[in-house]
Structure formats: structure tokens, C-alpha cells
Amino acid sequence: YPYGMIQDMIISYNEIKKYNKNYEISFRGSLKDIHDKVSEDYREIKYKNIELEYEDDMLKLNDTINEYTFTLAKDTKELSTIGKEMRICVGSYRERALSKSCYIVDVKDRNNKYKACIEIREDKISIKQVKLFANNRISTYIKENNLNEEDNNLYNAIKEWINKNKLISCTSDLPKEYNDLLLKTKKEFYDEYLEYWDLKEVSYFAW
């Protein structure tokens, strides 16, 4: 038991030094006291809430459609909050969101309750996931024809948001007919995308 605490403490201490080279701790008190202090300091540094920054062109994704609000996650704490409230694993996307290897958009209703979570790939146009509560999928609900008025309003808002922002679905979470651009040729999509995002060219598409 003491050996395990010492080993854990050394690992945490070395990890802290990666973030703060000047970190030191007073080696006073019991082994457990020192272990708990180092562990607490590590959690505070490792999981410190960090604001997520976005390029100006991405901010147009923030929108309100049919009383549903679409918002880019504002910080790493919100990723955890979304994950807990929706029972999905988006809280673990912290490093990916910070490095801009993905973008997370939450969808809230007029009561400020999370209703959907959308992951966009680093190319800024490809939708990788659209998750409902507990990882349920829109395509499954529609296939089973298990919809009520609230469901329809939410799904129609998501569909409108996708097409308004010239995004393309690369996920089975959505029915193909949700994405107008999938019905276009690549050139038609390419031309519309460049015009919407005010670009001269783009080097990568996920499809």
C-alpha cells in the first residue's frame, strides 16, 4: 500500500512538472497527506477549465432555429457538463477540442436543456456525429417511426441548421435526406461551400 502511494505520487508529480516546471511541494506530514496533496494539484492543473477559441468563420454556426439554440462549446468544463447531462462521452474530447481536431456544437431547447450534441471534423464541414440523450440517433427514431411533435421540431431544426451552414453529413446518425448537399454533385457542393464560407479554395474534403 505505501509503495503504491509513492509510485502514484511520483507519476503525478512528474506530470505536474510538465505543466509547471517550477512546481514544488513541501514534504511534510504523513505519506497519505503528501499523496493527496500532489493528487489534488495534478487534477487542478490537468483538468483546469480552459476556454475554447474559434476562428471567426466558425462563429456563424452559433444560431437559433425554431426555438432551439446551436452553440459551439465555450470551454472544456461545458464538454463535461454536456457529457454528464446527456450521458455521452463528449467530456473525454477535451484535448481534441483544444487542438481543433474537432468542434463540438450543443443544441438546447427553450428551457436551456441539452437535446443534442454535434461533432464536426477538423475540416469544419463534415459532421461526424449527432447524438441525442444516451447516444440515441435521429436515424433510428425515424426508422422506427417513434416520433412526437417535440422530436419533429428538434430534428427539423437540426436539418435546417445543417443545410443553412452548408455542412455535409458523414454519419449514419442522420438520414441521408437530411442533407441537401448530399443530393448535389461534388462540384455543386464545392462551389456552394466556397461561396458561403468566402473562400477561394479548400484543400480537403472528408468524402
Side-chain angles (χ1 to χ4, degrees):
Y1 180 71
Y3 175 77
M5 281 202 298
I6 293 173
Q7 186 179 41
D8 184 48
M9 184 173 62
I10 292 173
I11 292 173
S12 296
Y13 180 81
N14 288 335
E15 287 296 313
I16 292 173
K17 295 291 276 189
K18 292 179 182 178
Y19 292 88
N20 180 5
K21 294 180 179 179
N22 298 318
Y23 175 78
E24 296 294 342
I25 185 171
S26 176
F27 289 91
R28 297 176 181 173
S30 67
L31 177 60
K32 184 178 184 303
D33 290 338
I34 298 170
H35 168 273
D36 291 349
K37 174 60 176 172
V38 175
S39 296
E40 180 183 345
D41 291 346
Y42 173 65
R43 286 193 298 271
E44 182 176 340
I45 291 176
K46 178 68 174 176
Y47 300 107
K48 179 181 178 181
N49 186 34
I50 301 175
E51 182 179 357
L52 296 171
E53 299 180 352
Y54 301 100
E55 299 87 346
D56 289 343
D57 60 350
M58 291 297 290
L59 298 179
K60 64 174 67 179
L61 296 179
N62 294 330
D63 202 354
T64 299
I65 297 176
N66 298 340
E67 298 186 344
Y68 289 95
T69 303
F70 295 76
T71 312
L72 287 157
K74 66 178 182 293
D75 51 39
T76 54
K77 182 179 180 181
E78 185 172 30
L79 295 179
S80 297
T81 301
I82 296 170
K84 289 177 183 177
E85 293 194 13
M86 293 192 64
R87 296 187 187 175
I88 57 178
C89 64
V90 71
S92 65
Y93 287 29
R94 172 190 174 94
E95 298 303 322
R96 293 171 58 190
L98 287 170
S99 66
K100 295 184 172 61
S101 59
C102 76
Y103 299 90
I104 301 299
V105 177
D106 63 72
V107 184
K108 292 181 180 177
D109 64 13
R110 58 185 173 183
N111 297 315
N112 211 36
K113 183 178 180 180
Y114 293 110
K115 303 299 292 185
C117 180
I118 301 169
E119 178 188 355
I120 300 174
R121 289 174 172 167
E122 61 185 324
D123 63 5
K124 301 181 183 180
I125 63 166
S126 305
I127 296 177
K128 187 175 182 179
Q129 298 186 77
V130 179
K131 298 302 184 188
L132 306 176
F133 180 78
N135 279 317
N136 283 305
R137 305 188 303 175
I138 292 176
S139 55
T140 301
Y141 278 97
I142 291 178
K143 185 177 181 180
E144 295 175 353
N145 198 28
N146 185 23
L147 301 175
N148 54 39
E149 184 177 355
E150 183 181 357
D151 291 333
N152 274 318
N153 290 339
L154 171 62
Y155 303 164
N156 287 332
I158 291 174
K159 179 179 179 180
E160 182 177 338
W161 178 82
I162 289 171
N163 293 311
K164 178 179 179 180
N165 288 290
K166 308 298 181 185
L167 301 173
I168 185 164
S169 172
C170 299
T171 174
S172 59
D173 292 345
L174 295 171
K176 184 174 181 178
E177 59 268 22
Y178 259 49
N179 205 157
D180 291 346
L181 292 175
L182 288 179
L183 305 178
K184 298 178 180 292
T185 66
K186 286 188 179 182
K187 185 177 187 307
E188 287 174 329
F189 169 68
Y190 186 85
D191 290 344
E192 282 198 26
Y193 174 81
L194 293 182
E195 181 181 358
Y196 181 74
W197 290 95
D198 194 25
L199 297 172
K200 292 183 179 179
E201 64 179 353
V202 62
S203 59
Y204 169 75
F205 282 101
W207 59 0

